[in-house]
Amino acid sequence: MIDVKAILFANAGAMWKILSGPITLLFIASGLAPVEQGIYFTFISIAAIQQVFELGFSVVLVQTYASQNNSRKYSDFSNDINVKGLHVFSIVTYFLIALVFYICAYNYGIYIFKDVPEFDHLTLICWRWYLFFIAISLLVIPFYSHMEGGLLVRNVYKSRFISIALSSSILWTLLFFNYGLIALVISQAVLVLSQFISIRKYIYNSCINIFKKRDILYIGFIEFKKASGFQLKLALVWATGYFYWNSYNLIFFKLVSPVYAGVFGMTFALFNAFSVIAQNIVLVNRAKISNAITSNGIDNALRSFKCLQYVSIVVFLICITFLFLLKFILPHFFIFNRILETNSMILLSIMFFCTTAICNYATFTRCFGIEALFKLSIIMNVIIPVITLLYTKFIGLDGLLIYIALAHVIFLLLSIVIIRNFIIRTRLKI
């Protein structure tokens, strides 16, 4: 059964992001210079390297917890010694991930920004603190994963929605008063603190209970080791996925100009928000799909996924249609002067349509504890950034998005073939 309220909270957060995008753009345009806009989105692209260090551990946690929670009451699930052990192990692991991430991302950013005159002392301070709060945000993931795996999905997405709404509101206010990049830092701080505050009781009760047993960390390591095969493949997908999602801004920032990176970054973020809205429909139900697989086999799970995939694609198309209608009706509206032209937007919409469908397929197969799209994802995550880098470096920007859109169509067709074969093989095994 689909948790409608969980979907509503998840999409409320995603919808807030997309609706706040144009408003944020207005404040960025008035509060940031064009170069600062490029730095703004490059900050975000570099900080996203956290996924290279996180390596999809949260996905493994949710799947493992969901499997443990099958046909149990939540109280029984939370008291299970193996669940407690894995929870402790995840908390310690994420603390180490946050530390290593901060050190590496900081130096990575210094390399990217070293030739930019506008990257002054104040910008450096903003970079340091922005990264600090990104690192702190990693520490809430093990608690969110534990809650989602225990089917407290609604609580997770409610917390996220509240934090997103507060953070963006603070960002708008500070940009309005011309705080520049400092606004991004403070809004990130509000985002992290509000997340911890909203689930503070859960964190307190969780920590009180799980650290009582002496060998609890070792038990957690054993539980993690059981899922290590799946984790290894997912880690490679997660790590290469960083370059797929963030290479555009970094390449354009270094090889074209900070201004173009800012324009592309804003457009890319807009389409990505549409895709996130659509993917949430499948994503927030992954624990339930996993339980359906364990309890009733592949057919019921497949029926649920097909329904969710259909709704996801329709929602994405509705969002895209609305954007182009708005651009047609108000072609000179201020927002459309700060993003890419119509032809480039069409090509990006094709790219994100394919990406949305592929990501949904990947989420479905991960509910089986399998990375069926592993090889395809690795190839896709490597080829797209390489095409972008080489084409931009030796040819320029003309025609680049055509090749990128075409590549995504090919990858989508390949993913459909792979998923069909995966379903056939799974049925034969059952």
Side-chain angles (χ1 to χ4, degrees):
M1 182 178 179
I2 298 175
D3 190 337
V4 177
K5 288 188 177 180
I7 294 176
L8 288 176
F9 276 123
N11 280 314
M15 188 62 72
W16 181 276
K17 282 185 177 180
I18 186 58
L19 293 177
S20 67
I23 300 174
T24 303
L25 177 56
L26 289 172
F27 286 113
I28 288 175
S30 61
L32 299 178
V35 173
E36 286 182 308
Q37 179 176 320
I39 293 175
Y40 175 96
F41 285 105
T42 306
F43 265 26
I44 296 173
S45 294
I46 297 174
I49 201 174
Q50 62 179 292
Q51 74 182 66
V52 175
F53 297 93
E54 201 262 341
L55 295 175
F57 189 22
S58 60
V59 177
V60 176
L61 290 174
V62 171
Q63 299 304 125
T64 305
Y65 290 142
S67 177
Q68 291 281 356
N69 190 40
N70 183 41
S71 72
R72 293 184 182 182
K73 294 180 179 179
Y74 181 76
S75 58
D76 297 328
F77 160 79
S78 58
N79 289 323
D80 184 273
I81 187 64
N82 293 327
V83 171
K84 286 184 177 182
L86 185 59
H87 193 27
V88 172
F89 180 79
S90 68
I91 293 172
V92 174
T93 300
Y94 270 96
F95 177 81
L96 297 176
I97 289 173
L99 181 62
V100 175
F101 156 75
Y102 181 84
I103 295 172
C104 295
Y106 173 77
N107 290 287
Y108 180 35
I110 295 301
Y111 165 74
I112 295 294
F113 293 120
K114 66 179 181 180
D115 298 323
V116 179
E118 290 81 3
F119 193 77
D120 54 17
H121 181 67
L122 179 59
T123 308
L124 176 62
I125 293 175
C126 291
W127 174 238
R128 288 172 178 170
W129 281 103
Y130 177 65
L131 272 187
F132 172 77
F133 289 114
I134 291 288
I136 294 299
S137 69
L138 288 168
L139 302 182
V140 79
I141 293 178
F143 298 100
Y144 275 158
S145 299
H146 189 263
M147 294 170 70
E148 184 174 352
L151 300 184
L152 296 178
V153 180
R154 190 184 309 170
N155 304 65
V156 173
Y157 286 98
K158 181 179 179 180
S159 170
R160 286 176 173 167
F161 168 67
I162 293 171
S163 61
I164 290 170
L166 285 173
S167 175
S168 57
S169 299
I170 292 295
L171 179 63
W172 299 338
T173 302
L174 294 178
L175 285 174
F176 177 78
F177 287 106
N178 297 315
Y179 276 81
L181 292 173
I182 296 176
L184 179 63
V185 178
I186 296 178
S187 66
Q188 182 63 37
V190 171
L191 176 72
V192 175
L193 293 175
S194 60
Q195 286 178 339
F196 277 101
I197 291 172
S198 63
I199 61 170
R200 63 190 182 282
K201 292 182 180 179
Y202 182 87
I203 294 175
Y204 175 77
N205 293 331
S206 182
C207 292
I208 287 295
N209 292 326
I210 62 181
F211 285 102
K212 291 181 179 179
K213 191 172 178 59
R214 291 180 61 184
D215 57 348
I216 194 74
L217 187 60
Y218 177 74
I219 294 173
F221 173 74
I222 297 300
E223 286 298 305
F224 171 74
K225 192 175 180 180
K226 293 178 183 178
S228 60
F230 174 53
Q231 170 66 24
L232 178 60
K233 287 187 175 181
L234 184 60
L236 291 173
V237 173
W238 224 253
T240 56
Y242 165 77
F243 298 101
Y244 168 80
W245 289 107
N246 298 280
S247 61
Y248 306 101
N249 260 88
L250 300 177
I251 290 171
F252 296 149
F253 192 91
K254 292 289 286 186
L255 299 182
V256 183
S257 72
V259 174
Y260 182 80
V263 172
F264 182 90
M266 181 66 74
T267 314
F268 190 89
L270 189 63
F271 280 94
N272 186 50
F274 290 144
S275 181
V276 168
I277 291 172
Q279 289 180 51
N280 272 334
I281 294 170
V282 176
L283 196 61
V284 300
N285 284 284
R286 59 187 175 181
K288 290 185 178 293
I289 294 175
S290 297
N291 284 331
I293 293 168
T294 305
S295 304
N296 305 310
I298 186 174
D299 288 331
N300 287 338
L302 182 59
R303 280 193 293 270
S304 297
F305 171 72
K306 285 182 176 179
C307 177
L308 293 166
Q309 173 77 309
Y310 175 77
V311 175
S312 175
I313 294 300
V314 169
V315 167
F316 178 80
L317 291 176
I318 290 173
C319 292
I320 292 296
T321 302
F322 175 79
L323 177 65
F324 282 103
L325 283 175
L326 186 63
K327 184 173 175 59
F328 177 77
I329 296 171
L330 301 171
H332 301 295
F333 188 55
F334 183 70
I335 292 175
F336 296 119
N337 294 327
R338 297 297 295 269
I339 60 177
L340 296 174
E341 70 281 359
T342 302
N343 291 339
S344 296
M345 290 174 62
I346 292 173
L347 293 171
L348 276 183
S349 67
I350 295 173
M351 167 188 162
F352 274 100
F353 173 88
C354 297
T355 300
T356 300
I358 293 172
C359 289
N360 286 342
Y361 284 132
T363 298
F364 175 65
T365 63
R366 286 168 187 163
C367 293
F368 292 83
I370 297 171
E371 274 288 325
L373 298 179
F374 171 66
K375 292 181 180 179
L376 182 69
S377 298
I378 294 296
I379 294 172
M380 180 177 171
N381 291 343
V382 171
I383 285 182
I384 298 299
V386 169
I387 290 175
T388 304
L389 175 62
L390 296 179
Y391 198 100
T392 304
K393 186 175 180 63
F394 296 107
I395 299 177
L397 295 175
D398 293 338
L400 172 61
L401 291 181
I402 295 176
Y403 289 103
I404 291 177
L406 179 61
H408 279 83
V409 172
I410 295 172
F411 283 126
L412 175 58
L413 295 175
L414 290 174
S415 69
I416 292 173
V417 173
I418 293 171
I419 292 300
R420 286 179 177 176
N421 291 334
F422 167 77
I423 293 171
I424 293 172
R425 291 196 306 271
T426 304
R427 280 203 178 105
L428 290 175
K429 289 179 181 178
I430 295 175

